[in-house]
Structures are given as structure tokens and as C-alpha cells.
Amino acid sequence: MPSYVLFAIASLIWGSTFWAITLQLGEVPPAVSVVYRFALASMTLFAWCLLRGDKLRLPWRVQRWTLLQGFFTFGLSYVCTYNAEQYVVSALVAVLFALMVFWTPICARIAFGTPIPLRTWGAGVAAMAGVLLLFWHAIGNALHDIKGGGQGHFLLGLLLGIGASVASSAGSIVVAKVREQSSNLLLTTGWSMFWGAGMVAIWCLATGQEFIIPRAPSYVFGLLHLSIFGSVVAFICYFTLINRIGSSKAVYIGVITPVLSVLLSIKLEGYRPGPVEWLGMAVCLGSVAWAMRGPAAKPAPSIQLNNPIETP
């Protein structure tokens, strides 16, 4: 499958998942919903692997990296995301994920010593200015709420959203170590989701969160959409892109996803951004687009799966 098709599929699916997460809020604790989502997604991937004739067992040298990927990508990142959307409209959380274009090179620098181009630093500063404009009024209202004795939950949601994007970037870097150890993308992703769901489940049990069985049809619809399309299909497309073109380029999906999420929030959540918010989004996403125009990184070595995906 050509890389541009993978890019389009992942962008369209993830553009809707930030809104779909809102369908899972309320009845079930957010972290428990993360467990349900990735437990179902991992079981789907394991079933797929068995149908292909794959063995599910992986040696520890591989499992240690899938466990770390599961912690960052499918555990910490999504617990932060689900909780952030309790306080911040889904479209704004999606915009925060656009910052992965800058967090990912920083994580690569820390992990592998990869140089960060000057363009990336400049675009990152511009993106932060755009985020500040985007949340300017909301931050001001939250600070006013705190002065009046309130709790300023919006600021908590903002910090959780930023933390989620940083954790996702760290997980994207770990993918490079996973692919060094195994070429079976479906199986390693299934194990990463399994470990992520397991670690979040242990945290839920330790903190006394109740595993409620959801009954609302909207919750079930959201769970199926997020588990099958948002977790299995989109992540396979995304990780395949990382294998082909590298994590620093694959995260450019973060330019398209927020735009689609904003349009959905306007239509379905009643989100009405003002002139300052529109300016902030334009500056943030424009800086991401500027970073994309930098010199192309050397593509990552092609990974052949047991059932190979066609290269362009």
C-alpha cells in the first residue's frame, strides 16, 4: 500500500477519534475505558496474527521494548488524553498533539543523539506561541476561577494534554528499537497494546477505580470505533510509515488530524473559537507545516512483514 494512502487513512481516522473519546466519558472512569479499548484492540491483533499462522510468543529481548512502548504510547499517553478531554474540548487536545512534530525530534536527540535542525527549534517556538494564543482566554478564565476559590480544571486538562503528546512522542521513538528486534509489526503492536492495557488495569485496581460494564449504545459505538479503527487500523498505518520514512516525518499526520478534529468539534460539540483562537490554531499548525518543509530525513530501512505491505 503506498505511503500516501497510509498517511490519509491514519489522518482521517485519528481526526475523528478525539471526538469519539468524548462518547466514552461519564459512565466509565477514563482509565478503565483505556483498558477496555486496548484490551479489545490487542485481542483483535492477536487473532489476526493467529489467522496468519504466526506464533504469539516473543523473546524477552523484544518484549522489553514492546513493554516500554506500551507504557508510553498505549498507557500514559491515553490515560492523560482521556482525562484531559474531561476538561478541554476534544479539538484543542488534538491541536496539542500537533506538538509531537517538535517533541519527537527532542526525544530522538535524548535517546539517540540525533541533531535537531535550527528550523525545528524556530518552528517549535512559533508553535508554542500559537498554543498560548489558542488557550489565552481559557487560561485567563481558569486563573480567574482559581482566584475566586475554584479549582481551575482547565489548566489540569491543558497539562494532561501536553503530557499526552510528550508520552506519544517517546513511544514513537521506542518503535525504532522494537523494529530492530522484530519485523512482525502486527504482533509487536498487539503486545504493546496488551502491556499498555495491563499496566493501566493494575493502576486502576490499585487506585480503586471500578470496572463498570457500559450499557449506553454511544459508548459501545465509540469503543468499537476507537479499538478497531483508531487503535488497530490507524496505528498499523502509522507504525508502517515510521518504518518507511522515520518517526520525525510520520508525525506530520499531526498537521491534518487537528484540522479535522476542530471541524468535528464545531459540528458536534458546539465549539465556537473566536478570532484569537483561530489565530492561535493558524500559527501553531502553520509552524508545523514550516517544520515539515525542512530537509527530508533519510528514510528508515524497509521492514518486511510476514504478510508484506506493498511499497510505493
Side-chain angles (χ1 to χ4, degrees):
M1 186 179 293
S3 294
Y4 68 86
V5 175
L6 298 175
F7 187 97
I9 291 173
S11 298
L12 290 172
I13 292 175
W14 277 335
S16 67
T17 55
F18 285 93
W19 171 76
I21 287 173
T22 65
L23 300 177
Q24 297 197 284
L25 300 177
E27 182 182 5
V28 180
V32 174
S33 290
V34 173
V35 175
Y36 291 161
R37 172 177 177 174
F38 290 113
L40 178 57
S42 64
M43 293 304 106
T44 301
L45 283 171
F46 287 152
W48 189 348
C49 290
L50 289 174
L51 288 174
R52 298 194 318 171
D54 297 340
K55 294 182 179 179
L56 298 186
R57 183 177 177 277
L58 287 174
W60 173 244
R61 62 180 174 80
V62 184
Q63 287 287 23
R64 61 181 180 177
W65 292 112
T66 63
L67 193 152
L68 186 61
Q69 180 190 351
F71 170 75
F72 282 120
T73 303
F74 304 115
L76 181 59
S77 176
Y78 277 91
V79 169
C80 288
T81 299
Y82 275 58
N83 280 282
E85 290 199 22
Q86 292 187 111
Y87 313 117
V88 180
V89 68
S90 65
L92 300 186
V93 178
V95 173
L96 290 176
F97 266 79
L99 297 177
M100 281 183 65
V101 173
F102 311 109
W103 302 143
T104 300
I106 291 174
C107 289
R109 173 68 177 178
I110 295 172
F112 307 125
T114 306
I116 302 177
L118 183 60
R119 177 191 292 267
T120 299
W121 286 116
V125 172
M128 292 300 181
V131 168
L132 184 60
L133 285 173
L134 176 61
F135 292 100
W136 183 261
H137 289 142
I139 291 174
N141 292 335
L143 292 175
H144 185 267
D145 180 49
I146 292 174
K147 290 180 180 179
Q151 297 181 338
H153 283 149
F154 179 86
L155 293 179
L156 174 60
L158 178 60
L159 292 175
L160 287 170
I162 293 174
S165 67
V166 174
S168 286
S169 293
S172 296
I173 295 302
V174 177
V175 173
K177 302 300 296 184
V178 173
R179 78 166 186 240
E180 288 179 2
Q181 304 295 330
S182 174
S183 62
N184 193 330
L185 181 64
L186 298 180
L187 182 58
T188 55
T189 302
W191 275 110
S192 294
M193 291 181 176
F194 174 82
W195 291 125
M199 285 183 280
V200 177
I202 292 172
W203 184 73
C204 290
L205 292 172
T207 54
Q209 300 186 52
E210 187 176 358
F211 282 77
I212 299 171
I213 303 300
R215 293 187 174 87
S218 60
Y219 185 99
V220 176
F221 167 78
L223 177 61
L224 292 175
H225 176 69
L226 291 166
S227 298
I228 305 303
F229 292 97
S231 300
V232 175
V233 177
F235 270 108
I236 290 300
C237 292
Y238 178 58
F239 290 149
T240 301
L241 283 173
I242 290 178
N243 289 340
R244 291 181 181 177
I245 63 177
S247 58
S248 294
K249 292 295 182 183
V251 294
Y252 297 161
I253 290 171
V255 179
I256 306 300
T257 297
V259 176
L260 298 176
S261 296
V262 168
L263 295 177
L264 280 175
S265 286
I266 290 173
K267 180 69 175 179
L268 301 175
E269 293 183 274
Y271 176 51
R272 295 295 181 266
V276 175
E277 284 76 16
W278 280 116
L279 176 61
M281 278 188 278
V283 171
C284 181
L285 298 179
S287 65
V288 171
W290 179 43
M292 289 172 55
R293 294 175 62 86
K298 183 179 180 180
S302 178
I303 296 295
Q304 294 297 319
L305 309 180
N306 291 351
N307 184 17
I309 294 177
E310 179 184 355
T311 55

